[in-house]
Amino acid sequence: MAKLATIREHMERYNPQEIEGKWRRFWEKRKVWKVNLGRAKKPYYNLMMFPYPSAEGLHVGNVYAFVGSDIHGRFQRMWGHDVFEPIGFDSFGIHSENFAIKKGTHPKEQTAKNIKHFTEQLKQLGALFDWDRAVITSEPEYYKWTQWLFLQLYKAGLAYKGKAPVDWCPSCKTVLADEQVIEGKCERCDSVVLQKDLEQWFLRITKYADRLLKNLETIDWSEKTKIAQRNWIGRTEGTSITFKIENSKEEIKAFTTRTDTLYGATFLVLAPEHPLIASVTSKGIQEYVEAAKRKTELERRAEEKEKTGVFTGFYAINPLNKEKIPVWVADYALMGYGTGALFGDAHDERDVEFARKYTIPLKATVITGDKKQDQKILSLEQCFTEYGILVDSGPFTGMTSREAMKKVTEWLTEKGLGESKVTYHLRDWLISRQRYW
Ligand SMILES: [Zn+2]
C-alpha cells in the first residue's frame, strides 16, 4: 500500500515540460544522435520523408510518421547499430508558395519562419534526428546538388525536353499535378484547368522498365506491393498494325493484343489526343476533342461510363481483308495506352457497347465449338471475349486464337503492315512542375 501511494504521489508531481526538457537538454548537449559517418562500424540509415514546411506547424500526420520511424531507429541503436537519422525540409514547390500567398508574404520569408517553428516542434518529439546535418531543399547549398544530379542525367541522355499535354491553370500560369486538380478546377484559384501541349522536361525512366520489372523478383517486398508495381509498369506484348487511310497518304498505327480478331474489325477508334485528329478541322470533332481533354484519365477509363465519340469522316483499310472501315474518335481510347488507336470488333465489351450506341455494324469471328453458344455469339447476342476458334477469317479460318495471333502478326510483318511490339503503362517522368516558389 505504501508503495502504491508513493507512485501516485510521484505521478501527481510528474511534469512533462520539466522532465522532458531536462532530458532533451541532456541529449542535445551530448549529441546522442551523432554518428561518425566515415567510421561507423555498423552503419544504419534510418530515413523518413522530410516534412513540407507549408504550414505554420507540424500536422498530426507528420508526428504519426516520425514517431514510428524513430522508434525503429532507437531499436536498431539498441541492437548496436550506428543509426544515422537525417532530417530536413522539403521546402520548394507550390505548397510553400500557396501558403505564402495565403499569408500575404514572400515564400522565402514565410518558409524560413515555418522552418523555425517546425524545428522547435520536431525537437520536442525527442527523436534521434541529426540536427547538424539538417537540409533545406530551397537553400543553394542543397539545390546545387539537385542541379548537379540533373546535369549528370542530362549528359547521360536520361533528361530530355519534349512536348506533352499537361494540366495548366491559366490564372496561376503554372502546370498542376494531378492532385492539384479538383473536379477539373485549380485547387488554388478555382479556375477551370486546361489541357495544354507544352515543352516539358522528362526523366527517361521507361528505359529501365524491363529492369524494374525483372528485379522485382529479387527484393523482399510484399506480394501486394509487387503487384501494384507490376501494374504501374504495365508491360503488354502485342502487335502494332498499320491501317492506311482511304484517299490519303496518312496511316494509323493501332495497337492490339488480339490480332486473331483483326479479320472482324469493323471500325477504328482514335484517342482525342491522337496527332492525326489535330489535322481534322471539322468543328464538331474539335469540340468533342476539347470536351474530352477536360476529363481526367480516370473518368475516361471508368467502365460504367457511357461511351461517347464522333465519326471523323474518313475511312481506313483493314490490312487483312482490305475492307473499308470508318474511323471514329472516342475518349475510351487513351493516348497513354499502346498507340492511342485501336480497332473495334465484336469480341471486346467496350467496342460492342460503343458500336451498338452508334449503330456501327459488328461481325463475330471467334467461336467456341459449342453449337448453342456459337449461335448466340454469331447473332451478336453474346459478346465472346475469350480465346476460341476463328470463323469467317479468310486464310486464318479454323485456327485457334493462339495460332492465329502468331500467324496474323507474321503475315503483317512480312507485308510491312505491322510488327510485334511491347508497350508499357509506365511513362517518362515529367519533372517540369517544380519552380522557384
Ligand atoms: Zn490557379
Side-chain angles (χ1 to χ4, degrees), residues 7-24:
I7 292 169
R8 195 183 305 130
E9 217 174 276
H10 189 76
M11 289 309 284
E12 272 161 14
R13 282 191 286 112
Y14 175 70
N15 181 338
Q17 269 89 359
E18 195 182 294
I19 194 153
E20 288 184 16
K22 176 187 158 184
W23 288 106
R24 255 200 321 275

Side-chain angles (χ1 to χ4, degrees), residues 322-388:
K322 309 297 171 206
E323 269 173 30
K324 199 171 104 172
I325 59 176
V327 180
W328 286 68
V329 50
D331 66 2
Y332 79 94
L334 297 169
M335 206 55 215
Y337 177 77
T339 53
L342 51 93
F343 67 78
D345 61 69
H347 300 285
D348 179 285
E349 267 156 24
R350 294 186 311 170
D351 292 347
V352 169
E353 198 190 315
F354 185 76
R356 290 235 163 95
K357 182 170 172 187
Y358 294 102
T359 55
I360 303 167
L362 287 167
K363 188 175 87 178
T365 54
V366 182
I367 56 166
T368 63
D370 175 279
K371 265 207 176 112
K372 234 173 154 189
Q373 194 184 354
D374 290 346
Q375 264 175 5
K376 284 187 183 168
I377 295 169
L378 292 168
S379 65
L380 302 173
E381 200 183 313
Q382 187 200 344
C383 170
F384 180 64
T385 58
E386 285 158 49
Y387 290 164

Side-chain angles (χ1 to χ4, degrees), residues 169 171-172 186 189:
C169 173
S171 136
C172 299
C186 171
C189 70

Side-chain angles (χ1 to χ4, degrees), residues 159-309:
Y160 68 95
K161 224 173 177 186
K163 267 207 168 164
V166 290
D167 285 326
W168 174 263
C169 173
S171 136
C172 299
K173 294 190 174 53
T174 183
V175 175
L176 300 173
D178 288 352
E179 60 271 21
Q180 288 159 352
V181 182
I182 312 291
E183 287 169 0
K185 288 181 181 164
C186 171
E187 163 196 66
R188 180 151 103 186
C189 70
D190 248 9
S191 305
V192 172
V193 171
L194 303 176
Q195 281 235 325
K196 212 173 158 179
D197 265 328
L198 280 185
E199 285 259 298
Q200 302 288 321
W201 281 100
F202 292 90
L203 296 184
R204 207 182 295 280
I205 55 174
T206 51
K207 198 180 166 193
Y208 300 91
D210 277 324
R211 252 169 85 180
L212 284 167
L213 201 59
K214 199 169 146 265
N215 291 350
L216 272 178
E217 286 156 30
T218 66
I219 50 176
D220 63 349
W221 291 0
S222 71
E223 203 43 44
K224 204 174 125 195
T225 310
K226 286 188 185 183
I227 289 170
Q229 191 75 1
R230 278 189 199 108
N231 290 341
W232 175 65
I233 298 167
R235 185 181 197 274
T236 312
E237 282 180 31
T239 306
S240 163
I241 304 165
T242 307
F243 287 81
K244 295 204 187 317
I245 297 177
E246 193 192 37
N247 303 325
S248 160
K249 277 184 187 144
E250 301 275 7
E251 298 175 338
I252 296 168
K253 287 191 194 302
F255 180 78
T256 183
T257 56
R258 292 287 304 267
T259 42
D260 59 320
T261 64
L262 178 57
Y263 226 90
T266 49
F267 60 105
L268 208 67
V269 177
L270 301 181
E273 299 84 1
H274 195 283
L276 204 69
I277 299 294
S279 62
V280 184
T281 47
S282 142
K283 196 162 165 266
I285 291 167
Q286 288 312 328
E287 274 171 9
Y288 177 78
V289 168
E290 285 311 313
K293 282 181 177 175
R294 283 196 289 273
K295 293 182 195 167
T296 66
E297 181 169 327
L298 225 62
E299 284 170 345
R300 284 169 53 179
R301 280 174 102 153
E303 295 287 332
E304 66 278 11
K305 198 203 72 155
E306 196 177 331
K307 311 275 172 292
T308 62

